[in-house]
């Protein structure tokens, strides 16, 4: 049985663009239950910690700077097969190659400003959910 949770961040540009509500609506219409939610601004060192697995890649510095440059919304999403189904809903990392109708196609600007993050495995979903939320903040 696949894990039931995934972790998403709505990225700063998507909030700045006024698309937070549109994105949350898409997520709920696709059958995900939002079991934790918060808006916050990551400090640079927190963005670096979150994206630690990408340390050393050429996009790491601009990505972590961008992600700490404005508020994000983090959420735990619950559904059977959450990680895989959410990755289908958001589409490819590069919005220009994402399928029509996906969140990144609709609201992403480029590979870095791609509207949302989604966990890439059940193990990372648990690690990322713990990064943002205590047990008291989950419903
Ligand atoms: P995200 O799902 O947040 O996880 C890692 C992020 O790194 C990814 O979305 C992209 O925003 C970013 N990323 C991955 N590959 C590249 C790349 N080749 N160039 C720029 N950014 C990238």
């Amino acid at each position: 049985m696949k894990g039931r949770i995934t972790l998403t961040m709505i990225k700063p540009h998507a909030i700045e663009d006024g698309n937070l509500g549109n994105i949350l609506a898409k997520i709920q219409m696709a059958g995900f239950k939002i079991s934790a939610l918060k808006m916050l601004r990551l400090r640079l060192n927190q963005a670096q910690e979150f994206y630690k697995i990408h340390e050393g890649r050429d996009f790491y510095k601009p990505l972590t700077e961008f992600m700490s440059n404005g508020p994000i919304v983090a959420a735990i999403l619950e559904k059977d097969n959450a990680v895989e189904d959410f990755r289908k809903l958001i589409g490819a990392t590069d919005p220009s190659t994402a399928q029509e109708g996906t969140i990144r196609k609709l609201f992403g600007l480029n590979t870095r400003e791609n509207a949302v993050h989604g966990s890439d495995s059940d193990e990372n979903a648990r690690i990322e959910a713990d990064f943002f939320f205590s047990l008291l903040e989950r419903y």
Side-chain angles (χ1 to χ4, degrees), residues 33-89:
K33 177 193 162 199
I34 297 173
S35 55
L37 184 80
K38 65 171 75 163
M39 179 181 271
L40 71 151
R41 182 168 172 177
L42 290 168
R43 294 171 194 277
L44 179 61
N45 68 308
Q46 293 169 323
Q48 288 168 338
E49 171 71 18
F50 184 89
Y51 282 117
K52 202 170 45 187
I53 53 172
H54 298 299
E55 199 175 356
R57 307 287 295 274
D58 55 354
F59 60 82
Y60 180 71
K61 188 168 186 280
L63 174 67
T64 53
E65 286 173 355
F66 157 65
M67 288 300 291
S68 55
N69 217 11
I72 59 139
V73 165
I76 298 175
L77 307 177
E78 214 174 308
K79 183 181 186 295
D80 284 343
N81 207 22
V83 166
E84 202 176 311
D85 285 3
F86 191 65
R87 288 172 73 80
K88 279 189 200 138
L89 178 67

Side-chain angles (χ1 to χ4, degrees), residues 11 51 54 59 63 93 104 111-114 116-118:
K11 298 193 176 188
Y51 282 117
H54 298 299
F59 60 82
L63 174 67
T93 305
R104 284 172 168 163
T111 305
R112 179 164 57 248
E113 296 166 303
N114 59 355
V116 289
H117 165 80

